[in-house]
Amino acid sequence: MIKSMTGFGRATAETDGYVITVELKSVNHRYFEFNCRLPRQYGFLEEKLKSYINSRVARGKVDCFLTIEALNTDNAQVVINHTLASAYVNALKELSSGYALREDFGTVSISHFPDVLVLKKAEEDEEKLWNYTKAVAETAVDKFIEMREKEGIKMKEDVYSRGQFILDSVSFIEERSPETVKQYNDKLIERVHELLGDVSLDEGRILQEVAIYADKVAVAEETVRLRSHIEQLNTFLESSEAVGRKMDFLVQEINREANTIGSKANDVEIARKVVDIKAEIEKIREQIQNIE
């Protein structure tokens, strides 16, 4: 089943004194790109999360938000960073003195500066915390992939229907192409009669000219390849792997065959069908840009 690269998933759990929340959202991207926002003291979890999520998500720009709230604070201790606090105080005094300002800063003001007050807790078991986080991440990724799959179903139906339209157009071209050769034969004979009157025709020469024209406008090879490409596209639509990049390449090949038919066909009706085919190809290409 194909998946969209747009998705969202969120999960929260309380385990062993921790409330852990993992939130994921993504948009389309050529490769897998991972960005994570998490508390600084839990930075060791970022690479683990990236590796785990990448094992289940092949493509897309994924934003991950991790919050961890420790409910058990019995062993917590707030420590003053005296060196930093002193530096802030000296800087504020210098600022007041240099600009003739009132020294109206106090304890509360100083405590609001970054890292003046540091919360220290007992060392945490990193492996245990990762296991807790991974369990929450699994649920979030499940929801994330479920949303991607639901969108993928709609995309699959759209791409399939457009592929069928292309096949119907190819059938029209295959039926119409021999008719253009017959019309050329009739017009050629008519034109010769107009120029030469009732002079007997050199049928061999006429057949040779028609054969040259038929070879020039023949599109059988292109229509066969087009059918093959559409068949392969439908196979990709049933794949459980990440096939977005393969499909993108295949659509380029489909477009190339359509262009060749358009350049060969010396017929208004076929030209119109080629325009319709190219319009559907472009719509398929737009959908594929968001397929994992």
Side-chain angles (χ1 to χ4, degrees), residues 59-101:
R59 292 178 69 204
K61 182 180 179 181
V62 180
D63 290 318
C64 175
F65 303 90
L66 170 67
T67 60
I68 300 177
E69 180 184 358
L71 301 178
N72 183 4
T73 58
D74 293 343
N75 296 321
Q77 182 182 8
V78 178
V79 178
I80 302 172
N81 186 335
H82 288 285
T83 303
L84 191 57
S86 177
Y88 279 127
V89 170
N90 292 334
L92 289 173
K93 286 183 176 181
E94 183 179 342
L95 187 64
S96 299
S97 174
Y99 294 92
L101 302 173

Side-chain angles (χ1 to χ4, degrees), residues 172-206:
F172 173 86
I173 292 171
E174 288 172 334
E175 293 175 5
R176 176 70 181 168
S177 186
E179 183 65 23
T180 64
V181 177
K182 181 179 182 301
Q183 289 177 0
Y184 178 79
N185 180 78
D186 294 343
K187 287 180 180 179
L188 182 61
I189 293 175
E190 181 181 347
R191 183 63 175 161
V192 170
H193 278 304
E194 288 178 359
L195 295 173
L196 303 179
D198 294 331
V199 177
S200 61
L201 301 177
D202 184 347
E203 293 185 4
R205 181 60 177 164
I206 294 291

Side-chain angles (χ1 to χ4, degrees), residues 18 75-77 120-125:
Y18 294 97
N75 296 321
Q77 182 182 8
K120 287 193 174 182
K121 296 182 289 186
E123 288 191 12
E124 295 172 303
D125 186 331

Side-chain angles (χ1 to χ4, degrees), residues 49-170:
L49 272 171
K50 178 180 180 180
S51 178
Y52 170 69
I53 293 171
N54 194 19
S55 71
R56 300 187 61 186
V57 178
R59 292 178 69 204
K61 182 180 179 181
V62 180
D63 290 318
C64 175
F65 303 90
L66 170 67
T67 60
I68 300 177
E69 180 184 358
L71 301 178
N72 183 4
T73 58
D74 293 343
N75 296 321
Q77 182 182 8
V78 178
V79 178
I80 302 172
N81 186 335
H82 288 285
T83 303
L84 191 57
S86 177
Y88 279 127
V89 170
N90 292 334
L92 289 173
K93 286 183 176 181
E94 183 179 342
L95 187 64
S96 299
S97 174
Y99 294 92
L101 302 173
R102 186 178 60 184
E103 293 186 6
D104 57 355
F105 53 88
T107 305
V108 175
S109 298
I110 301 300
S111 68
H112 286 169
F113 286 108
D115 301 323
V116 170
L117 298 180
V118 180
L119 178 63
K120 287 193 174 182
K121 296 182 289 186
E123 288 191 12
E124 295 172 303
D125 186 331
E126 293 186 2
E127 192 60 32
K128 181 174 69 174
L129 191 57
W130 162 239
N131 289 331
Y132 295 157
T133 302
K134 183 181 179 182
V136 180
E138 285 177 353
T139 304
V141 173
D142 286 344
K143 294 178 180 178
F144 175 78
I145 291 176
E146 181 181 0
M147 179 176 176
R148 282 183 151 205
E149 288 176 342
K150 286 181 179 178
E151 288 197 16
I153 291 173
K154 297 176 183 177
M155 297 168 71
K156 170 186 172 182
E157 292 172 351
D158 184 73
V159 172
Y160 180 81
S161 66
R162 297 188 188 283
Q164 292 305 114
F165 177 88
I166 292 175
L167 288 179
D168 292 341
S169 299
V170 168

Side-chain angles (χ1 to χ4, degrees), residues 229-249:
H229 292 334
I230 296 297
E231 182 180 348
Q232 190 174 3
L233 188 68
N234 291 338
T235 300
F236 283 149
L237 290 174
E238 302 296 334
S239 176
S240 59
E241 301 177 358
V243 292
R245 294 181 66 185
K246 293 180 180 179
M247 293 176 76
D248 188 44
F249 174 78

